[in-house]
Amino acid sequence: MSLKEQFGKDVLLTGWGHSRFGKLTDETLESLIVQVATEAIGNAGIEPGQIDEIYLGQFNSGMMPLAFPSSLALQVSDQLANVPATRVENACASGSAAFQQGTKSLLAGTAKTVLVIGAEKMTQAGADVVGAALLGADYDMAGKASTTGFTGLFADVAKHYGKRYGAATGNLGDVLGTIAAKNHRNGVDNPYAQLRKDLGEDFCRTVSEKNPMVADPLRRTDCSPVSDGAAAVVLSVSPTGGATAPVRLAGFGHANDFFPAERRDPTAFAATRVSWQRALAMAGVGLGDLDFAEVHDCFTIAELLMYEAMGLTEPGQGARALTEGWVFKDGKLPVNVSGGLKAKGHPVGATGVSQHVIAAMQLTGTAGAMQLKSPRRAAVQNMGGVGIANYVSVLEAL
């Protein structure tokens, strides 16, 4: 049963906008929001006054002084005066949380057209401020000093994974290096990406002066960069006559895990798996029905675990998705053709919305150099914390 069959109405992505990701010193949070919102509204072929509600995904957590940005989108046009606008925060999944809140407004019938924005400005803050802000998304490390920050948390996941599945995985460092190299290679074709350089497997697998160990076993190339950026999408219950054909939301899933690390299996990502199951079940499809996926590779170990959480391989067998070539651009399920967070960048609140925009571009044949051959169905997966807040969407071309 699809979303439309379950709820009796469509949720369509009818317009979208995307900024460049990176260190955007000439942009402010406001200018990024206005840029992508204006682009999304124009792409949808509607007037600003047709927007019934606005949701803004943003983490912030002290990375910038302005902590109340929900009305910034109203700067697009005077027609947006008095439109309800809400900031949504769920750590690194804030963008997808905003997307699902917009979806639920449409399904509830309280809105017919919703503007969803994800935005973050991070690079103006010092490394210590960014590190402390991100650690605020961890139950055990929030407010504590750390030399490795969130990288250290995912490094611990990698160590647990290596200890549990070492014999089956082989050289975990090489596996993670292959994921990094794949995503850097894909990022070259993404005009929005922060890192557009094919670094090659040898560089990504090797600790060097230019690729130091950040938190063993994670090297610099295993970590997504600190980024600024924004993305926006218009959600509607019917086509709006926009610049491209709309994209249908076929299903979605959301699951949260327990916050204390002691209550979670560090390599299972159990709630992540549930969010996949819920989204696929609502869409009435299986993994084999997907043509590509954009997943949350904040660190390369996260992408490896995602192969297993989505059901592409059994636990401990994630490396097989690489050795068999399944997740490469010409494989049976390309993963992170955009370059992922690893190369595209990770402006925290923007990431989930960006993933939906990139997927919509692929499904409408407007992805430029990133374009796959005639994809019809995709999944987007966004995660907050170490597998804590988990969101999956299944999108399909009309």
Side-chain angles (χ1 to χ4, degrees):
M1 178 180 290
S2 68
L3 180 152
K4 184 176 183 181
E5 292 169 331
Q6 182 171 340
F7 293 98
K9 63 176 69 176
D10 257 330
V11 173
L12 303 177
L13 288 70
T14 53
W16 42 83
H18 202 298
S19 79
R20 186 169 58 87
F21 282 6
K23 187 173 183 179
L24 309 180
T25 55
D26 294 332
E27 300 285 357
T28 64
L29 182 66
E30 179 178 334
S31 69
L32 287 167
I33 289 172
V34 170
Q35 174 194 332
V36 298
T38 301
E39 186 179 347
I41 292 168
N43 183 253
I46 63 174
E47 294 296 321
Q50 294 175 257
I51 300 293
D52 298 314
E53 197 163 2
I54 299 168
Y55 286 99
L56 170 66
Q58 188 218 20
F59 180 47
N60 194 354
S61 191
M63 288 185 287
M64 64 178 302
L66 181 63
F68 182 46
S70 56
S71 279
L72 289 180
L74 274 59
Q75 300 294 84
V76 169
S77 169
D78 289 348
Q79 294 180 40
L80 292 174
N82 303 315
V83 171
T86 305
R87 173 181 173 240
V88 179
E89 188 280 310
N90 219 1
C92 297
S94 296
S96 284
F99 181 90
Q100 285 201 12
Q101 288 304 115
T103 294
K104 291 173 182 178
S105 288
L106 297 184
L107 295 178
T110 57
K112 293 183 178 179
T113 306
V114 174
L115 174 64
V116 178
I117 306 165
E120 207 78 64
K121 275 286 290 180
M122 303 174 71
T123 65
Q124 75 290 335
D128 56 336
V129 174
V130 173
L134 296 177
L135 280 177
D138 186 76
Y139 179 88
D140 301 287
M141 289 302 297
K144 297 180 180 178
S146 172
T147 58
T148 56
F150 231 80
T151 308
L153 300 179
F154 274 88
D156 286 342
V157 171
K159 289 174 183 175
H160 282 291
Y161 187 89
K163 184 176 181 180
R164 181 174 294 182
Y165 300 118
T169 302
N171 188 320
L172 181 59
D174 284 353
V175 172
L176 300 182
T178 298
I179 293 173
K182 170 182 71 71
N183 292 348
H184 275 288
R185 190 179 308 118
N186 289 344
V188 172
D189 293 328
N190 185 351
Y192 306 118
Q194 181 170 354
L195 305 174
R196 300 185 67 189
K197 186 175 182 180
D198 184 353
L199 298 177
E201 284 199 12
D202 287 345
F203 181 85
C204 293
R205 287 178 166 188
T206 306
V207 176
S208 64
E209 183 178 350
K210 291 185 177 181
N211 189 25
M213 190 71 75
V214 180
D216 189 26
L218 302 182
R219 300 144 297 209
R220 180 178 291 165
T221 50
D222 293 305
C223 311
S224 58
V226 173
S227 316
D228 306 327
V233 62
V234 173
L235 301 179
S236 311
V237 293
S238 58
T240 58
T244 65
V247 170
R248 174 181 287 128
L249 175 64
F252 61 89
H254 173 201
N256 268 51
D257 211 336
F258 295 106
F259 210 5
E262 65 182 16
R263 299 200 64 183
R264 305 189 311 272
D265 181 324
T267 68
F269 277 49
T272 312
R273 184 180 298 270
V274 171
S275 66
W276 275 96
Q277 292 168 347
R278 288 174 175 168
L280 292 170
M282 183 184 289
V285 300
L287 203 63
D289 297 309
L290 303 178
D291 295 307
F292 69 95
E294 288 287 323
V295 309
H296 193 98
D297 62 322
C298 50
F299 301 93
T300 50
I301 183 63
E303 179 168 328
L304 181 66
L305 284 167
M306 213 50 56
Y307 302 157
E308 301 173 12
M310 72 170 76
L312 188 58
T313 76
E314 293 297 316
Q317 298 293 322
R320 188 182 173 198
L322 297 161
T323 57
E324 299 287 344
W326 297 340
V327 294
F328 291 90
K329 195 169 183 178
D330 58 354
K332 70 176 185 180
L333 184 65
V335 172
N336 287 336
V337 175
S338 68
L341 286 59
K342 174 77 270 290
K344 183 179 61 176
H346 184 28
V348 178
T351 287
V353 182
S354 166
Q355 291 174 311
H356 285 85
V357 170
I358 294 293
M361 293 171 63
Q362 286 283 357
L363 293 171
T364 55
T366 58
M370 293 184 284
Q371 186 65 53
L372 295 166
K373 186 178 179 180
S374 304
R376 301 296 300 169
R377 188 176 289 112
V380 166
Q381 180 268 331
N382 189 201
M383 176 175 69
V386 186
I388 303 297
N390 303 273
Y391 295 82
V392 175
S393 298
V394 177
L395 306 178
E396 59 187 23
L398 290 183

